[in-house]
Structure formats: C-alpha cells, structure tokens
Amino acid sequence: MLLGGTGEARELARLLVAGGVEVISSLAGRTTDARRPDGEIRVGGFGGVDGLIAWLQAHPVDVVVDATHPFATRMTANAAAATTHLGLRFLVLHRPGWTSGDDWHWADSPAAAAELLPGLGSRVFLTIGRQGLDDFATTGLWTLARCVDPPQPRPSWCELVLARGPFSETDELQLLKQHRIDVLVTKNSGGPATAPKLRAAQQLHLPVVVIRRPPLPAGLDVVTSSPQAFDWVMREARS
C-alpha cells in the first residue's frame, strides 16, 4: 500500500506498476480533482491507528510506503504504529527539505510565523495551503493566500487565489509584482515543484518566512526519492 497524494507518490506508483507490483494508493481526499496515480486507488481516512490496522488486516498488503506530504505527521505516526503492531515492513519516502536562502526567517509553527510578519512586511503572500491559515487572521496585514481548494468557512480577512501548481518562476514573479507582495510565507515542503516561488522572492529581495518540518518518528526506514523507494520495495519483495 502506498500512502500518497504527492508527486513522489505518483512517480513511485508508476515505477511499481511498471515493475509488476500490485499497488493500492491511498489518498486523503481533501483535494478535489486530485491527480490519479497508476494502480488501484482508495480515497478517505482510516479512522486512526485502529482503523488502519483493521484495513491492513482485511487486505493482502505486504509492504506499506508512506509518501505523504512532509507535514502529514499524523498519518506517518499512525502508519508507523499500525505496521509495527502487525509486523509489516514500512518505509517513509521523505523528500529533502530546502536550505536557507538570502533572507529567510525560520518558525516552528504557523502561529510562530505569524508573529514574525509585522517586522518583515505589510503585504503577505501565504503559500501554506488551508491548514494553519487561521493563525494569520489577526496580524492586521494585507494577506493573499493561495490554496487548491477554498477553506471552509471562507475567510474574510484575506484574499484568496485558487490555483493548482506547479507554477513557473515567471508566474510567481508576476503574481508577487501584481499584488505588491513584500513578504512570503511557506512551509519547508522541499522538492523542485514549489521552489520557483523561492527563486522569485530572491529575485525581488523579499524576506521569506519558512515553517520548519516536524521531526519524523525515530527508528524508521527513510529514503529521499522515488527511485530509492522503488529499489527498497523490490528488495523487500525478493526477501
């Protein structure tokens, strides 16, 4: 089973299906019209650790790979607990994070990031998705928030732009200039797909507030790319 929803998960599903491995990709279902990976698909939550254990017991799964977003910590923790309980092999595909840029300011949470903003700019571009938006509601700063799907309830304190990436550096430059953005807020998602906004901010000499990743549970098998995950699965399949 492949816990998916990321570009790395879709690439891994493609590699595995091409390699003759039966794959079930599990998607959270929070995003409408999500890109469909190769292989079988299930959508929706499991109901915590107990629900995931019950699902795994009811399906012929040999290996679980967690290729969810680096900030999907609850899913990773639940999968680690469930696979440990059942004695199943478990791998985490965790893309590398970004390193510091010219004018980066690190924060441990959305709330901590919001506290930094008044000293950095007056027109904010939030690129953290829907989770954590409410922490920025009381900054008093003009704010543009980009999401794939609109938050519910729709916030009145910020302007929304609904769009699905990837975005080019040219696209990001145009958006930053159009809205006269003077500070960018992002999560340390890592990977090349969402990095153009960082290069655009650097071109314009804008400060960037970066929310740190939460740590992974200790003792897990971890790789950083889809080909590495494919090799791991194929080794496990032969053992």
Side-chain angles (χ1 to χ4, degrees):
M1 183 173 70
L2 177 56
L3 304 174
T6 61
E8 290 83 4
R10 290 189 293 274
E11 174 64 8
L12 178 56
R14 184 190 67 80
L15 292 171
L16 291 171
V17 170
V21 177
E22 184 179 352
V23 179
I24 302 174
S25 290
S26 177
L27 307 178
R30 295 192 184 98
T31 301
T32 58
D33 298 323
R35 298 184 181 95
R36 294 179 64 85
D38 292 353
E40 188 177 340
I41 299 170
R42 70 166 301 278
V43 178
F46 292 96
V49 176
D50 290 342
L52 180 53
I53 288 173
W55 191 94
L56 290 170
Q57 288 174 324
H59 295 81
V61 171
D62 299 311
V63 174
V64 177
V65 179
D66 175 11
T68 56
H69 192 276
F71 282 78
T73 53
R74 181 176 297 177
M75 187 69 256
T76 301
N78 288 353
T83 52
T84 297
H85 177 81
L86 296 173
L88 289 175
R89 290 162 289 186
F90 179 54
L91 177 72
V92 177
L93 170 51
H94 202 61
R95 75 174 79 119
W98 297 314
T99 56
S100 292
D102 289 346
D103 190 9
W104 284 20
H105 305 261
W106 293 87
D108 289 326
S109 66
E115 291 179 1
L116 294 175
L117 290 178
L120 297 174
S122 60
R123 295 182 68 84
V124 181
F125 182 30
L126 291 180
T127 62
I128 64 170
R130 292 179 293 176
Q131 303 296 318
L133 279 186
D134 289 346
D135 288 306
F136 297 86
T138 59
T139 65
L141 305 175
W142 185 92
T143 301
L144 176 69
R146 183 166 67 195
C147 307
V148 175
D149 298 307
Q152 297 298 332
R154 198 179 183 103
S156 59
W157 55 269
C158 68
E159 292 194 19
L160 289 177
V161 54
L162 302 180
R164 185 194 302 275
F167 307 101
S168 70
E169 188 172 335
T170 299
D171 293 334
E172 301 290 50
L173 275 169
Q174 182 179 356
L175 184 146
L176 293 173
K177 291 177 180 178
Q178 175 186 348
H179 294 282
R180 294 180 286 115
I181 299 299
D182 58 13
V183 58
L184 169 69
V185 181
T186 187
K187 292 178 176 178
N188 187 15
S189 301
T194 54
K197 63 189 173 188
L198 301 174
R199 296 194 295 271
Q202 185 176 28
Q203 280 198 49
L204 298 175
H205 307 289
L206 303 184
V208 180
V209 177
V210 184
I211 300 171
R212 291 186 179 93
R213 294 179 176 190
L216 288 171
L220 302 181
D221 288 333
V222 180
V223 296
T224 58
S225 72
S226 301
Q228 289 174 347
F230 172 78
D231 290 343
W232 185 93
V233 171
M234 299 308 286
R235 286 196 304 271
E236 291 297 313
R238 289 192 293 266
S239 64

